[in-house]
Amino acid sequence: MRLSLPDASVQPHDRSSYTSYEILSEGFGPGYGAPLIFAAQVDSTNADLRPVVEAVRKTEGIAYATQPRISTDGQAAIFMAFPRTGYQEEATADLVHELRDDVLPKASGGEEIYVGGPNAGAIDFAEDTSSRLPLMITVVIALSLVLLIALVRSVTIALQAAVMNLLSIGAAYGVLVAIVQWGWFGPALGFPTDMPVTTWVPMMMFPLLFGLSMDYEVFLISRIREEYERTGDTRRAVTRGLARTAKVITAAAAIMIAIFTTALLGPDVSVKQIGLGMAVAVLVDATIIRMVLVPAVMELCGKANWWMPGRRARKATSAAQAAVGEGARA
């Protein structure tokens, strides 16, 4: 999944913002609308930035670089460079990394030159989000495991739920990449062109979808648990629990899918993305995951579903206490 923030190039083609972008791109190149801005603190010893500008200008992927400008107090200098590639292209991100890691350190002689502007800001935001997403996923899963173990008193079921939820959310991310980033059926769903996934969309989707998935999990597992406590038969408990909750889960999922799908009717591509991802995730979770995979795995696991550390010892202790009581009464 490649992340970025949407600009005018990915907006509906009937918008004036896209028309303006198209005119500027045809006249001045696709990178004109998102220049790279270079800034540095200067003084009397390092006020000459011409070697830096020349090095940037010669870098492959740079179309043009302006002359540096010094602030009125003589403490700061800036210049701009325009990439040959557009805001959304992967080559632009590679260019920013090359400038920061290789070109600027060599050309500046150790002085700090900072790269900003729309392109660099979007790249930094996407990379920060990507680096923090695994931590957020880990925290959410850990908290859900603790809550599920407390609810159903089973480590096995809690682990099953975490894995199944990751499957449904992973499927949603995959569909989002295929439609938005690769362009499969994109125009039919209102995406005018292939584009990176909006940076904040996967970060927002995960906790929301995990919460909805856990709702369906609790509906199903709590009923199965009740039936198992009553009958002691895992197969029968799974069958009855599924039969009694399937209509509720299906109805709730249908409502959610209908609500999320309406986002595709709007013009904003970011809202479309999160609506599409949420609808796909709920559809997969309520059908394939909750109605097929979870019952199948529980039936295969049998009594192992209800494993909990210390439970066997507690049962043995209870049996011993009961035997002692019987002996005392005898």
Side-chain angles (χ1 to χ4, degrees):
M1 180 183 289
R2 194 160 62 88
L3 303 178
S4 182
L5 294 173
D7 69 334
S9 66
V10 298
Q11 298 301 324
H13 292 181
D14 58 351
R15 282 190 166 188
S16 61
S17 58
Y18 176 79
T19 304
S20 173
Y21 160 80
E22 193 174 31
I23 293 173
L24 289 175
S25 295
E26 290 177 356
F28 301 97
Y32 183 80
L36 302 174
I37 302 174
F38 299 80
Q41 290 183 333
V42 296
D43 52 33
S44 58
T45 62
N46 67 339
D48 187 10
L49 291 181
R50 285 177 296 179
V52 177
V53 175
E54 189 63 25
V56 171
R57 185 178 288 124
K58 291 180 179 178
T59 303
E60 185 177 357
I62 294 293
Y64 176 74
T66 66
Q67 292 300 318
R69 295 179 57 187
I70 309 297
S71 62
T72 54
D73 61 1
Q75 298 297 308
I78 65 168
F79 68 94
M80 299 171 63
F82 299 90
R84 296 184 183 277
T85 51
Y87 183 94
Q88 302 294 343
E89 295 185 46
E90 194 170 3
T92 305
D94 295 337
L95 175 63
V96 171
H97 287 302
E98 181 184 357
L99 290 169
R100 285 174 170 171
D101 300 337
D102 185 36
V103 176
L104 294 179
K106 291 180 180 179
S108 64
E111 297 293 334
E112 288 288 347
I113 309 291
Y114 301 96
V115 184
N119 272 324
I123 292 166
D124 292 342
F125 183 33
E127 291 180 351
D128 288 344
T129 301
S130 297
S131 65
R132 286 167 172 78
L133 191 59
L135 176 61
M136 184 190 71
I137 291 173
T138 302
V139 171
V140 171
I141 292 175
L143 291 175
S144 68
L145 284 174
V146 172
L147 292 175
L148 265 182
I149 290 172
L151 176 66
V152 300
R153 308 297 298 169
S154 169
V155 174
T156 305
I157 289 179
L159 291 173
Q160 289 175 6
V163 172
M164 294 301 175
N165 289 346
L166 287 175
L167 284 176
S168 61
I169 294 169
Y173 283 170
V175 171
L176 202 60
V177 169
I179 293 176
V180 176
Q181 187 172 314
W182 297 347
W184 295 4
F185 307 106
L189 295 173
F191 298 100
T193 183
D194 55 291
M195 65 190 78
V197 176
T198 300
T199 304
W200 53 265
V201 166
M203 183 177 63
M204 293 294 293
M205 278 177 59
F206 184 82
L208 292 174
L209 292 173
F210 209 90
L212 289 174
S213 299
M214 292 306 295
D215 280 347
Y216 302 148
E217 180 75 8
V218 169
F219 289 160
L220 178 60
I221 297 300
S222 59
R223 176 61 68 179
I224 293 175
R225 175 71 180 181
E226 291 173 0
E227 293 292 335
Y228 181 78
E229 291 289 344
R230 189 171 63 86
T231 65
D233 186 336
T234 299
R235 178 186 290 268
R236 184 177 300 175
V238 170
T239 302
R240 290 183 177 179
L242 180 61
R244 294 187 179 184
T245 57
K247 291 182 180 180
V248 176
I249 293 175
T250 303
I255 294 171
M256 290 291 101
I257 293 169
I259 292 171
F260 292 138
T261 304
T262 59
L264 295 173
L265 302 177
D268 190 277
V269 292
S270 298
V271 176
K272 287 174 180 285
Q273 290 177 24
I274 195 168
L276 173 65
M278 297 283 282
V280 170
V282 172
L283 176 63
V284 172
D285 191 85
T287 55
I288 299 174
I289 302 296
R290 303 304 154 197
M291 298 294 104
V292 179
L293 292 183
V294 170
V297 171
M298 288 190 69
E299 189 164 331
L300 289 173
C301 289
K303 291 185 178 181
N305 286 306
W306 318 109
W307 178 77
M308 184 74 178
R311 175 173 289 172
R312 184 171 298 176
R314 289 195 299 270
K315 287 183 177 179
T317 301
S318 300
Q321 290 174 347
V324 169
E326 289 292 334
R329 284 195 294 272

